[in-house]
Amino acid sequence: MLTGRRSRRLFALLAALAALVLVAAGCGGREVQTGQQQKTINIGFIAWDEDIAVTHLYKVLLEQKGYQVKTQELEAGPMYAGLSQGNIDVFLDGWLPETHADYWRQYGPQLEDLTVWYNQATLNIAVPKYMTDINTIADLKGKAAQFNGMITGIDPGAGLTRITKDNAIPAYGLSGEYNLQTSSTTAMLAALQKATEEQKPIVVTLWHPHWAYARYPIKDLQDPQGAMGKAEEIHAIGRKGFSQDFPEVTDMIKKFKLDDQQLASLEDAINNAGKGKEDDAARQWAAQNPAVVNTFFTP
């Protein structure tokens, strides 16, 4: 009888201990989960080549440092709204002071301007380098026959299209001599590739930063009248409180800088990799460019 009572007491004690262990384990699991949540970063990006490239570069570098990184593609308007509401932590492709000026005026007080990492974002008219007699937009005048009277452009609704048509063409007296052919960026790049492979004349609308400068032998035409506008800056922008919540990442972002050649090569690598392989390409680019990447983490 005594043995039975002892057995029951021992069983009850063991059951209680087991329950305590389960509770402790559950609490420990929640602590780990909370820690993981604190190290989760949501990066928003727009479907521009430079933003796709740097977003995937940041993703692989932050994952190497133990962060869980989520990426989300948005249009510019929803991007800034999402940042202001705290749904997006950071956005790496804010064009200021002009392109995203309206969004900055509306949402700026709820955002953190973390750094300028690229300061030569420009709209351009470009030709192949082998066209040695054409170096300025003015040099196009009187030479339309070489280009079949055509400037190869991108989307009809693009700001680059509007500025080329309304500013550059009339400013340099090209009206009536050249037509701006619009279709898409993809079509423009296909025409550029074909022309350069065949060493034929072509004039295109393009912009910095873009991977085409790393892949094709092209040069920007000088714009002494400033018809294409001034260079803009690309900013990394965080939600309010980002620098306080992620001091290590903020420090990395503040050190982040890429020059034109570095950014073009990164874009080219990721563009060549194809859909779904962007992380692999970014990881390989980082491994091939340790001197560049290490500057983001220097004390």
Side-chain angles (χ1 to χ4, degrees), residues 2 6 9 89 95 143 158 209 263 268:
L2 185 59
R6 284 177 177 171
R9 286 174 182 168
D89 290 313
W95 282 52
K143 298 174 182 173
L263 181 54
D268 190 40

Side-chain angles (χ1 to χ4, degrees), residues 84-269:
S84 70
Q85 295 160 6
N87 299 324
I88 300 294
D89 290 313
V90 67
F91 167 52
L92 301 167
D93 203 32
W95 282 52
L96 296 170
E98 296 297 333
T99 302
H100 292 162
D102 290 344
Y103 302 125
W104 188 257
R105 279 193 291 270
Q106 183 175 357
Y107 299 111
Q110 288 82 49
L111 308 178
E112 292 187 9
D113 187 356
L114 301 173
T115 195
V116 174
W117 61 267
Y118 184 86
N119 61 5
Q120 290 298 316
T122 57
L123 303 178
N124 306 98
I125 294 176
V127 299
K129 290 180 179 178
Y130 49 77
M131 304 197 72
T132 56
D133 60 331
I134 298 178
N135 297 296
T136 74
I137 301 176
D139 290 338
L140 292 171
K141 191 171 177 60
K143 298 174 182 173
Q146 295 185 46
F147 305 98
N148 296 318
M150 183 173 63
I151 297 173
T152 303
I154 57 170
D155 313 70
L160 174 57
T161 299
R162 175 182 56 80
I163 288 172
T164 302
K165 183 179 180 180
D166 297 344
N167 295 6
I169 289 178
Y172 288 95
L174 305 179
S175 301
E177 188 178 355
Y178 288 86
N179 289 317
L180 178 61
Q181 183 188 54
T182 58
S183 55
S184 67
T185 300
T186 302
M188 179 276 290
L189 291 169
L192 178 61
Q193 179 175 342
K194 185 174 188 296
T196 53
E197 285 176 349
E198 297 175 358
Q199 295 278 294
K200 290 184 176 180
I202 188 170
V203 55
V204 301
T205 61
L206 201 52
W207 64 95
H208 285 275
H210 199 284
W211 52 263
Y213 290 97
R215 192 176 301 182
Y216 307 120
I218 51 178
K219 62 182 178 182
D220 294 326
L221 295 181
Q222 296 171 28
D223 177 20
Q225 295 194 37
M228 300 299 290
K230 296 180 180 178
E232 291 198 77
E233 299 173 333
I234 301 183
H235 294 237
I237 299 171
R239 60 164 172 78
K240 203 169 190 66
F242 178 83
S243 58
Q244 183 177 352
D245 294 341
F246 296 100
E248 180 185 34
V249 181
T250 300
D251 186 58
M252 171 189 169
I253 289 174
K254 287 184 180 298
K255 293 185 176 76
F256 178 61
K257 295 286 186 295
L258 289 177
D259 64 27
D260 205 50
Q261 184 177 358
Q262 292 163 350
L263 181 54
S265 71
L266 173 62
E267 287 184 42
D268 190 40

